[in-house]
mmCIF file of all heavy atoms in Angstrom:
data_model
loop_
_atom_site.group_PDB
_atom_site.id
_atom_site.type_symbol
_atom_site.label_atom_id
_atom_site.label_comp_id
_atom_site.label_asym_id
_atom_site.label_seq_id
_atom_site.Cartn_x
_atom_site.Cartn_y
_atom_site.Cartn_z
ATOM 1 N N ILE D 710 0.244 -31.836 -23.949
ATOM 2 C CA ILE D 710 1.268 -31.589 -22.925
ATOM 3 C C ILE D 710 0.888 -30.333 -22.166
ATOM 4 O O ILE D 710 0.651 -29.299 -22.742
ATOM 5 C CB ILE D 710 2.655 -31.423 -23.572
ATOM 6 C CG1 ILE D 710 3.005 -32.695 -24.344
ATOM 7 C CG2 ILE D 710 3.714 -31.173 -22.510
ATOM 8 C CD1 ILE D 710 4.319 -32.587 -25.075
ATOM 9 N N ILE D 777 8.530 -18.005 -23.013
ATOM 10 C CA ILE D 777 9.900 -17.524 -23.163
ATOM 11 C C ILE D 777 10.434 -17.103 -21.801
ATOM 12 O O ILE D 777 9.865 -16.235 -21.130
ATOM 13 C CB ILE D 777 9.951 -16.336 -24.150
ATOM 14 C CG1 ILE D 777 9.317 -16.762 -25.489
ATOM 15 C CG2 ILE D 777 11.383 -15.876 -24.364
ATOM 16 C CD1 ILE D 777 9.060 -15.609 -26.410
ATOM 17 N N GLY D 870 -24.046 -2.189 -7.635
ATOM 18 C CA GLY D 870 -24.797 -1.136 -8.292
ATOM 19 C C GLY D 870 -26.040 -1.674 -8.979
ATOM 20 O O GLY D 870 -26.495 -2.797 -8.742
ATOM 21 N N ARG D 966 -8.168 15.424 -11.271
ATOM 22 C CA ARG D 966 -7.830 16.363 -10.203
ATOM 23 C C ARG D 966 -8.537 17.691 -10.430
ATOM 24 O O ARG D 966 -8.542 18.231 -11.537
ATOM 25 C CB ARG D 966 -6.324 16.609 -10.163
ATOM 26 C CG ARG D 966 -5.501 15.407 -9.711
ATOM 27 C CD ARG D 966 -4.039 15.787 -9.624
ATOM 28 N NE ARG D 966 -3.212 14.669 -9.204
ATOM 29 C CZ ARG D 966 -1.906 14.750 -8.974
ATOM 30 N NH1 ARG D 966 -1.284 15.917 -9.122
ATOM 31 N NH2 ARG D 966 -1.221 13.686 -8.595
ATOM 32 N N GLY D 981 -20.246 23.956 0.354
ATOM 33 C CA GLY D 981 -19.422 24.487 -0.728
ATOM 34 C C GLY D 981 -17.978 24.751 -0.371
ATOM 35 O O GLY D 981 -17.208 25.181 -1.230
ATOM 36 N N ILE D 1002 -11.063 31.335 2.649
ATOM 37 C CA ILE D 1002 -10.807 31.859 3.985
ATOM 38 C C ILE D 1002 -9.355 31.543 4.303
ATOM 39 O O ILE D 1002 -8.946 30.378 4.251
ATOM 40 C CB ILE D 1002 -11.753 31.227 5.020
ATOM 41 C CG1 ILE D 1002 -13.215 31.591 4.683
ATOM 42 C CG2 ILE D 1002 -11.405 31.689 6.426
ATOM 43 C CD1 ILE D 1002 -14.244 30.900 5.554
ATOM 44 N N PRO D 1003 -8.528 32.552 4.603
ATOM 45 C CA PRO D 1003 -7.078 32.345 4.760
ATOM 46 C C PRO D 1003 -6.733 31.239 5.743
ATOM 47 O O PRO D 1003 -7.433 31.029 6.741
ATOM 48 C CB PRO D 1003 -6.579 33.717 5.254
ATOM 49 C CG PRO D 1003 -7.607 34.688 4.764
ATOM 50 C CD PRO D 1003 -8.908 33.966 4.805
ATOM 51 N N ALA D 1051 -24.687 24.441 19.474
ATOM 52 C CA ALA D 1051 -23.339 23.904 19.605
ATOM 53 C C ALA D 1051 -22.968 23.848 21.083
ATOM 54 O O ALA D 1051 -23.395 24.691 21.881
ATOM 55 C CB ALA D 1051 -22.331 24.753 18.848
ATOM 56 N N ILE D 1067 -24.708 27.196 23.052
ATOM 57 C CA ILE D 1067 -24.963 28.495 22.425
ATOM 58 C C ILE D 1067 -25.749 28.286 21.138
ATOM 59 O O ILE D 1067 -25.796 27.171 20.597
ATOM 60 C CB ILE D 1067 -23.646 29.246 22.110
ATOM 61 C CG1 ILE D 1067 -22.789 28.448 21.106
ATOM 62 C CG2 ILE D 1067 -22.868 29.539 23.392
ATOM 63 C CD1 ILE D 1067 -21.576 29.206 20.596
ATOM 64 N N ASP D 1068 -26.380 29.370 20.642
ATOM 65 C CA ASP D 1068 -27.020 29.329 19.328
ATOM 66 C C ASP D 1068 -26.059 29.887 18.287
ATOM 67 O O ASP D 1068 -24.900 30.226 18.604
ATOM 68 C CB ASP D 1068 -28.355 30.077 19.337
ATOM 69 C CG ASP D 1068 -28.211 31.577 19.616
ATOM 70 O OD1 ASP D 1068 -27.081 32.124 19.488
ATOM 71 O OD2 ASP D 1068 -29.224 32.223 19.950
ATOM 72 N N SER D 1083 -21.925 15.900 24.683
ATOM 73 C CA SER D 1083 -21.742 15.476 23.300
ATOM 74 C C SER D 1083 -22.246 16.562 22.354
ATOM 75 O O SER D 1083 -22.973 17.473 22.784
ATOM 76 C CB SER D 1083 -22.526 14.184 23.038
ATOM 77 O OG SER D 1083 -23.911 14.467 22.891
ATOM 78 N N ASN D 1103 -32.692 18.528 25.568
ATOM 79 C CA ASN D 1103 -33.149 18.908 24.234
ATOM 80 C C ASN D 1103 -32.514 20.238 23.844
ATOM 81 O O ASN D 1103 -31.724 20.814 24.602
ATOM 82 C CB ASN D 1103 -34.672 18.944 24.159
ATOM 83 C CG ASN D 1103 -35.280 19.978 25.106
ATOM 84 O OD1 ASN D 1103 -34.608 20.928 25.526
ATOM 85 N ND2 ASN D 1103 -36.539 19.793 25.462
ATOM 86 N N PHE D 1141 -32.156 -0.027 31.888
ATOM 87 C CA PHE D 1141 -33.473 0.550 31.656
ATOM 88 C C PHE D 1141 -33.601 0.919 30.179
ATOM 89 O O PHE D 1141 -32.657 1.426 29.571
ATOM 90 C CB PHE D 1141 -33.683 1.828 32.492
ATOM 91 C CG PHE D 1141 -33.487 1.632 33.963
ATOM 92 C CD1 PHE D 1141 -32.236 1.777 34.533
ATOM 93 C CD2 PHE D 1141 -34.565 1.296 34.774
ATOM 94 C CE1 PHE D 1141 -32.053 1.596 35.889
ATOM 95 C CE2 PHE D 1141 -34.382 1.112 36.134
ATOM 96 C CZ PHE D 1141 -33.131 1.266 36.698
ATOM 97 N N ASP D 1154 -34.802 -6.290 34.075
ATOM 98 C CA ASP D 1154 -34.207 -6.762 35.324
ATOM 99 C C ASP D 1154 -33.548 -8.127 35.194
ATOM 100 O O ASP D 1154 -32.649 -8.455 35.979
ATOM 101 C CB ASP D 1154 -35.276 -6.822 36.425
ATOM 102 C CG ASP D 1154 -35.757 -5.431 36.826
ATOM 103 O OD1 ASP D 1154 -34.986 -4.469 36.606
ATOM 104 O OD2 ASP D 1154 -36.882 -5.317 37.333
ATOM 105 N N LYS D 1171 -38.280 -1.432 13.169
ATOM 106 C CA LYS D 1171 -38.458 -0.050 13.589
ATOM 107 C C LYS D 1171 -38.427 0.116 15.109
ATOM 108 O O LYS D 1171 -38.239 1.218 15.608
ATOM 109 C CB LYS D 1171 -39.771 0.486 13.023
ATOM 110 C CG LYS D 1171 -39.755 0.621 11.511
ATOM 111 C CD LYS D 1171 -41.054 1.220 10.985
ATOM 112 C CE LYS D 1171 -40.983 1.361 9.477
ATOM 113 N NZ LYS D 1171 -42.233 1.947 8.908
ATOM 114 N N GLY D 1173 -36.171 -1.496 16.980
ATOM 115 C CA GLY D 1173 -34.778 -1.589 17.374
ATOM 116 C C GLY D 1173 -34.440 -2.917 18.036
ATOM 117 O O GLY D 1173 -35.318 -3.669 18.469
ATOM 118 N N TYR D 1174 -33.119 -3.212 18.107
ATOM 119 C CA TYR D 1174 -32.634 -4.471 18.650
ATOM 120 C C TYR D 1174 -31.703 -4.246 19.837
ATOM 121 O O TYR D 1174 -30.945 -3.270 19.883
ATOM 122 C CB TYR D 1174 -31.863 -5.263 17.581
ATOM 123 C CG TYR D 1174 -32.719 -5.786 16.457
ATOM 124 C CD1 TYR D 1174 -32.586 -5.283 15.171
ATOM 125 C CD2 TYR D 1174 -33.645 -6.807 16.685
ATOM 126 C CE1 TYR D 1174 -33.358 -5.774 14.136
ATOM 127 C CE2 TYR D 1174 -34.415 -7.302 15.664
ATOM 128 C CZ TYR D 1174 -34.282 -6.789 14.381
ATOM 129 O OH TYR D 1174 -35.048 -7.279 13.366
ATOM 130 N N GLU D 1178 -27.416 -10.167 27.813
ATOM 131 C CA GLU D 1178 -26.833 -11.326 28.482
ATOM 132 C C GLU D 1178 -27.627 -11.608 29.756
ATOM 133 O O GLU D 1178 -27.829 -10.723 30.598
ATOM 134 C CB GLU D 1178 -25.374 -11.058 28.840
ATOM 135 C CG GLU D 1178 -24.703 -12.220 29.558
ATOM 136 C CD GLU D 1178 -23.290 -11.906 30.005
ATOM 137 O OE1 GLU D 1178 -22.706 -10.933 29.463
ATOM 138 O OE2 GLU D 1178 -22.782 -12.602 30.908
ATOM 139 N N ASN D 1253 -2.272 -25.527 12.088
ATOM 140 C CA ASN D 1253 -1.921 -24.299 11.368
ATOM 141 C C ASN D 1253 -2.408 -24.322 9.920
ATOM 142 O O ASN D 1253 -1.930 -23.549 9.089
ATOM 143 C CB ASN D 1253 -0.399 -24.057 11.385
ATOM 144 C CG ASN D 1253 0.099 -23.697 12.769
ATOM 145 O OD1 ASN D 1253 -0.565 -22.966 13.504
ATOM 146 N ND2 ASN D 1253 1.258 -24.216 13.140
ATOM 147 N N ARG D 1260 -20.813 -20.509 3.709
ATOM 148 C CA ARG D 1260 -21.814 -20.485 4.777
ATOM 149 C C ARG D 1260 -22.502 -21.836 4.975
ATOM 150 O O ARG D 1260 -23.194 -22.033 5.965
ATOM 151 C CB ARG D 1260 -22.865 -19.411 4.488
ATOM 152 C CG ARG D 1260 -23.628 -19.597 3.188
ATOM 153 C CD ARG D 1260 -24.654 -18.506 3.019
ATOM 154 N NE ARG D 1260 -25.634 -18.576 4.096
ATOM 155 C CZ ARG D 1260 -26.647 -17.712 4.206
ATOM 156 N NH1 ARG D 1260 -26.750 -16.718 3.358
ATOM 157 N NH2 ARG D 1260 -27.516 -17.831 5.170
#
Side-chain angles (χ1 to χ4, degrees):
I710 300 177
I777 305 168
R966 291 184 180 184
I1002 297 174
I1067 62 172
D1068 64 17
S1083 77
N1103 62 22
F1141 304 89
D1154 292 337
K1171 293 183 179 180
Y1174 292 112
E1178 179 185 342
N1253 291 321
R1260 60 179 298 179

